């Protein structure tokens, strides 16, 4: 009876792991995966420590840039988790992570320390916000479409992680899957 229960629990755990977004195995990006190779758009917003984080000031180190918001209960936690995992696996390259809020109405600079703690962001990771107009300009500059439901506050948006090289060039746009991000980062000199 004990053995049967343990086997059933293992099957349930395995099925649960396979059903989590971002956990399914995906083939690596092909060698022909398109490179963007253009200057990264500007980004200068306030992080969870109250510092203004400008992408230009992060030059000299690769940067992962993604977009999420704290009230999201579906895709955003997966995006942030996968970007954090990629950053962890790229630790030897000293990769920075910048998460730009999609919700400056609620993810205000004063709330960012709680958001960073909830997302378990480390010292080389920043969640950034600012006044609504500045955040919306940043989203537009990065070509991140977004639509906010005025009643629920939910935001429709794409899931993407941008890879910026140490020279400040936008090299790749990747799906939020750690394996794909790490593979593409390995193609950046």
């Amino acid at each position: 009876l004990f053995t049967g229960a343990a086997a059933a629990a293992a099957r349930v755990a395995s099925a649960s792991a396979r059903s989590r977004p971002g956990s399914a195995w995906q083939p690596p990006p092909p060698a022909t995966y398109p490179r963007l190779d253009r200057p990264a758009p500007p980004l200068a917003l306030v992080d969870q420590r109250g510092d203004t984080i400008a992408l230009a000031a992060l030059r000299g180190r690769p940067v992962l840039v993604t977009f999420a918001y704290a009230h999201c209960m579906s895709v955003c936690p997966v995006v942030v988790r996968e970007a954090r995992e990629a950053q962890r696996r790229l630790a030897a390259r000293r990769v920075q992570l910048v998460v730009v809020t999609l919700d400056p109405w609620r993810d205000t600079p004063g709330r960012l320390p709680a958001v960073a703690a909830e997302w378990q962001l480390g010292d080389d990771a920043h969640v950034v916000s600012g006044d609504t107009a500045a955040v919306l300009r940043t989203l537009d500059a990065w070509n991140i479409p977004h639509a906010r439901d005025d009643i629920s506050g939910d935001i429709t948006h794409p899931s993407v992680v941008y890879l910026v090289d140490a020279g400040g060039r936008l090299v790749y746009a990747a799906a939020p899957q750690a394996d794909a991000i790490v593979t593409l980062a390995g193609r950046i000199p």
Side-chain angles (χ1 to χ4, degrees), residues 36-40 59 163-172 188:
L36 301 174
D37 281 330
R38 63 179 183 251
R59 285 208 177 132
L163 285 78
V164 179
D165 70 13
R169 292 192 62 77
L170 188 58
V171 183
Y172 290 112
I188 300 172

Side-chain angles (χ1 to χ4, degrees), residues 140-180:
D140 290 343
W142 285 79
N143 294 318
I144 300 298
H146 53 301
R148 183 172 191 263
D149 182 310
D150 290 331
I151 296 170
S152 69
D154 289 340
I155 299 168
T156 305
H157 62 92
S159 298
V160 64
V161 177
Y162 284 110
L163 285 78
V164 179
D165 70 13
R169 292 192 62 77
L170 188 58
V171 183
Y172 290 112
Q177 296 173 327
D179 290 341

Side-chain angles (χ1 to χ4, degrees), residues 124-148:
D124 281 347
H126 311 273
V127 57
V128 296
S129 186
D131 68 70
T132 303
V135 173
L136 296 178
R137 277 193 307 274
T138 300
L139 297 175
D140 290 343
W142 285 79
N143 294 318
I144 300 298
H146 53 301
R148 183 172 191 263

Side-chain angles (χ1 to χ4, degrees), residues 21-23 64 77-87 89 161 175-179 181:
S23 66
L64 303 177
V78 174
V79 171
V80 173
R81 182 190 73 222
E82 292 293 310
R84 266 192 1 252
E85 174 61 16
Q87 181 190 30
R89 290 169 48 190
V161 177
Q177 296 173 327
D179 290 341
I181 297 165

